[in-house]
């Protein structure tokens, strides 16, 4: 029973291999390149999805830890050593800039709370921009796959049709044997281009939505962090 159920799959695989073999060298090269693109696109999508999910979980865990603390500026050094967590990176930059401004102010005899807060807010803004870029990292490669793959498939289609007509003009006959290589290249590269482009565009949209959600969340966190530091300074 199992062998009968898998028979259509084996036949389909065999047919694809036979079509690939019938293709001319240009069609084969384009198909192989698109296959490599497909593997690369899936690796980017799966890796980025896993990364964003882990970062979101770690962000929420770190935020929960901060909520349990009454004072932020006096937290131990361990809270500043978790740079791999975006929320922790913002907090570390803010705290370090605050105390650096305080030390410089004391040396100059001008220890202004406003200057401390301004330095902390500037540090938060810089760290926020850095983490947003981190969220969007590697997305450009996926967008490139979405754009390039259909055009490569179209290139293979046009090339295959051109080869088919060239064969007909040379052989002066329109038999299946004459048209097969060109038509095979045209159809196979078209399918390969769509196989790369369709999952890539779906994956890109899903990941783009996730990165936008994380960006909104970290912007809200940055605002809350700045407010808590300001309120703590006024006590």
């Amino acid at each position: 029973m199992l062998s009968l159920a898998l028979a259509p799959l084996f036949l389909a695989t065999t047919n694809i291999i036979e079509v690939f073999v019938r293709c001319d060298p240009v069609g084969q090269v384009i198909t192989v390149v698109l296959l490599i693109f497909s593997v690369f696109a899936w690796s980017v999508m799966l890796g980025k999805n896993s990364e964003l999910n882990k970062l979101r979980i770690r962000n929420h865990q770190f935020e929960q830890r901060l909520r349990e603390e009454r004072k932020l500026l006096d937290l131990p050094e361990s809270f500043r050593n978790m740079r791999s967590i975006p929320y922790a990176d913002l907090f570390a930059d803010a705290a370090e800039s605050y105390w650096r401004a305080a030390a410089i102010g004391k040396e100059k005899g001008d220890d202004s709370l406003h200057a401390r807060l301004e330095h902390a807010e500037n540090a938060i803004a810089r760290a926020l921009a850095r983490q947003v870029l981190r969220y969007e990292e590697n997305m450009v490669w996926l967008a490139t796959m979405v754009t390039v793959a259909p055009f490569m498939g179209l290139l293979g289609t046009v090339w295959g049709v051109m080869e088919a007509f060239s064969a007909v003009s040379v052989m002066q006959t329109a038999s299946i044997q004459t048209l097969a290589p060109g038509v095979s290249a045209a159809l196979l590269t078209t399918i390969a281009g769509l196989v790369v482009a369709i999952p890539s565009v779906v994956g890109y949209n899903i990941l783009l939505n996730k990165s936008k959600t994380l960006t909104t969340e970290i912007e809200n966190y940055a605002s809350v962090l700045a407010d808590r530091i300001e309120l703590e300074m006024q006590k």
Side-chain angles (χ1 to χ4, degrees):
M1 292 294 295
L2 180 61
S3 60
L4 292 176
L6 294 178
L9 177 61
F10 291 145
L11 290 175
T13 304
T14 303
N15 290 337
I16 292 175
I17 295 174
E18 289 178 354
V19 170
F20 178 79
V21 172
R22 284 199 300 268
C23 289
D24 65 303
V26 174
Q28 292 178 348
V29 169
I30 293 176
T31 303
V32 170
V33 171
L34 287 171
L35 177 61
I36 295 172
F37 280 6
S38 179
V39 173
F40 179 75
W42 276 103
S43 64
V44 171
M45 287 188 291
L46 295 177
K48 193 64 180 180
N49 184 67
S50 176
E51 178 189 3
L52 293 179
N53 289 338
K54 289 179 181 178
L55 289 179
R56 191 176 192 188
I57 293 173
R58 292 173 182 174
N59 282 341
H60 292 171
Q61 290 175 344
F62 184 82
E63 186 178 19
Q64 184 62 37
R65 291 184 62 183
L66 286 189
R67 287 177 181 174
E68 297 171 357
E69 302 292 336
R70 299 188 61 183
K71 292 185 176 181
L72 300 183
L73 297 174
D74 296 328
L75 289 176
E77 190 71 22
S78 59
F79 278 81
R80 306 179 195 174
N81 295 332
M82 295 181 282
R83 293 282 187 172
S84 61
I85 304 174
Y87 283 16
D89 188 47
L90 266 66
F91 169 75
D93 275 13
E96 290 174 2
S97 295
Y98 174 87
W99 290 116
R100 189 182 305 113
I104 295 174
K106 289 180 180 179
E107 290 178 359
K108 295 182 177 180
D110 184 21
D111 188 11
S112 170
L113 292 179
H114 176 73
R116 294 189 189 186
L117 179 61
E118 185 177 358
H119 279 79
E121 289 178 343
N122 289 338
I124 291 174
R126 290 191 297 270
L128 175 62
R130 183 170 63 246
Q131 293 303 326
V132 170
L133 290 176
R134 180 182 178 186
Y135 289 156
E136 298 175 353
E137 189 179 12
N138 292 332
M139 293 289 287
V140 65
W141 295 111
L142 200 54
T144 302
M145 296 297 103
V146 172
T147 305
V148 172
F151 285 104
M152 288 198 66
L154 180 61
L155 173 63
T157 302
V158 174
W159 179 267
V161 173
M162 185 178 67
E163 282 293 302
F165 280 110
S166 297
V168 170
S169 64
V170 172
M171 302 297 294
Q172 297 182 352
T173 179
S175 64
I176 295 298
Q177 290 77 10
T178 304
L179 296 173
V183 174
S184 297
L187 297 178
L188 186 60
T189 54
T190 302
I191 293 172
L194 294 175
V195 166
V196 177
I198 293 174
S200 296
V201 72
V202 174
Y204 177 81
N205 289 331
I206 292 174
L207 293 175
L208 183 63
N209 182 63
K210 282 191 175 184
S211 65
K212 286 182 177 180
T213 300
L214 288 174
T215 298
T216 301
E217 289 179 351
I218 199 172
E219 287 174 349
N220 293 337
Y221 165 80
S223 178
V224 172
L225 180 61
D227 288 344
R228 286 193 63 180
I229 292 176
E230 183 177 3
L231 291 174
E232 189 172 328
M233 289 168 54
Q234 295 173 356
K235 292 181 180 180

